[in-house]
Amino acid sequence: MRIIDTPSPNFDERDAPVSMIVLHYTGMQDAESAIARLCDPEAKVSCHYLVAEDGQVLRMVAENKRAWHAGRSHWRDIDDCNSASIGIEIVNPGHEFGYRPFPDAQVASVIRLVAEIKDRYAITRGDVVGHSDIAPARKRDPGELFPWGSLARLRLALPRPTRNLVDPEWTEGGFCLALERFGYDVTDRMAAIMAFQRRFRPELVDGEIDAECRMILLALLLPKPQGDE
């Protein structure tokens, strides 16, 4: 993969080994604006890699440094997600500026990049996540149009469970306890539920706990989720 070095000054030292990959969308009107912001010392944001819509990959922060992409976040037992993750920004205007599907060339580059990083650090599928997964009260990216299924079929992310589903009939409290056990911060219950839906049931992101959501979450907590792989 050809990677263009486009250094950002916005980084510091890691306090933890790399154990996660976090996917974002840039959420700006165009790639140029996003790159400029990620390189602006005043903005205090950055990422390790940016993937343009044509599939070109920019390296903005070295992997051994802590990029500033996750912000206030939590996943499983990690509170400093910046220290523990590689952050990948995917050029897309996002929900604010005309959210649209991700082009095939861009997705292909994301897949190759994720595969290389995942192998390099022995990252589990369950720790390849979206920004909305680790910061549900603040973020919606990479959003419901991101093709997680394409990554899952290559064992680069968890699949959406589709087989042998059983409804545990949890209460709302029981569902949120299970969601927390899976990895989410459930301080804002509605936000956490919608983040879960955006990731694993993107066709209906309504914040309502229904049988389908319960069945999917239960299956994800099993040793081997049975999905469309």
Side-chain angles (χ1 to χ4, degrees):
M1 175 179 288
R2 180 168 176 264
I3 296 177
I4 298 176
D5 282 307
T6 310
S8 169
N10 301 332
F11 63 88
D12 53 14
E13 299 300 318
R14 290 190 182 276
D15 293 325
V18 173
S19 61
M20 303 169 55
I21 297 171
V22 181
L23 303 182
H24 308 253
Y25 62 42
T26 52
M28 300 190 73
Q29 290 178 319
D30 52 47
E32 292 74 17
S33 300
I35 294 165
R37 179 170 171 77
L38 291 163
C39 290
D40 180 0
E42 297 297 319
K44 299 186 186 302
V45 294
S46 62
C47 62
H48 293 94
Y49 298 97
L50 177 142
V51 182
E53 289 185 299
D54 64 1
Q56 179 61 66
V57 178
L58 308 186
R59 177 167 40 227
M60 309 195 77
V61 173
E63 290 184 8
N64 65 338
K65 300 299 183 181
R66 178 180 180 270
W68 304 341
H69 58 94
R72 188 176 66 258
S73 52
H74 170 86
W75 184 250
R76 296 182 171 169
D77 59 348
I78 297 172
D79 290 317
D80 183 1
C81 292
N82 277 333
S83 274
S85 67
I86 299 292
I88 300 173
E89 290 278 358
I90 306 166
V91 173
N92 187 292
H95 292 84
E96 187 174 353
F97 295 110
Y99 189 41
R100 57 184 181 237
F102 298 82
D104 291 344
Q106 186 178 46
V107 172
S109 289
V110 170
I111 285 172
R112 186 170 176 184
L113 186 60
V114 168
E116 291 179 0
I117 296 167
K118 185 176 181 295
D119 285 348
R120 190 150 53 240
Y121 297 99
I123 296 169
T124 68
R125 291 186 297 165
D127 290 318
V128 179
V129 296
H131 200 185
S132 59
D133 295 316
I134 65 172
R138 299 187 301 110
K139 297 295 180 178
R140 292 185 285 174
D141 58 310
E144 58 277 5
L145 296 179
F146 184 74
W148 285 106
S150 296
L151 276 68
R153 283 187 285 276
L154 296 170
R155 301 189 66 79
L156 300 177
L158 284 175
R160 172 180 178 164
T162 56
R163 301 195 296 274
N164 302 325
L165 299 181
V166 177
D167 184 359
E169 300 184 2
W170 289 318
T171 62
E172 179 181 336
F175 181 88
C176 289
L177 282 173
L179 200 57
E180 185 175 39
R181 179 183 171 194
F182 182 63
Y184 286 88
D185 176 359
V186 297
T187 304
D188 184 330
R189 286 189 172 188
M190 176 69 78
I193 293 163
M194 292 180 73
F196 172 79
Q197 292 172 333
R198 188 168 282 114
R199 172 69 177 78
F200 292 105
R201 209 269 304 272
E203 69 275 10
L204 180 58
V205 181
D206 60 1
E208 298 291 328
I209 300 168
D210 56 24
E212 186 175 40
C213 290
R214 292 191 298 266
M215 290 189 291
I216 290 171
L217 180 54
L218 175 62
L220 286 167
L221 288 168
L222 297 176
K224 187 182 187 303
Q226 300 186 61
D228 181 18
E229 296 184 74

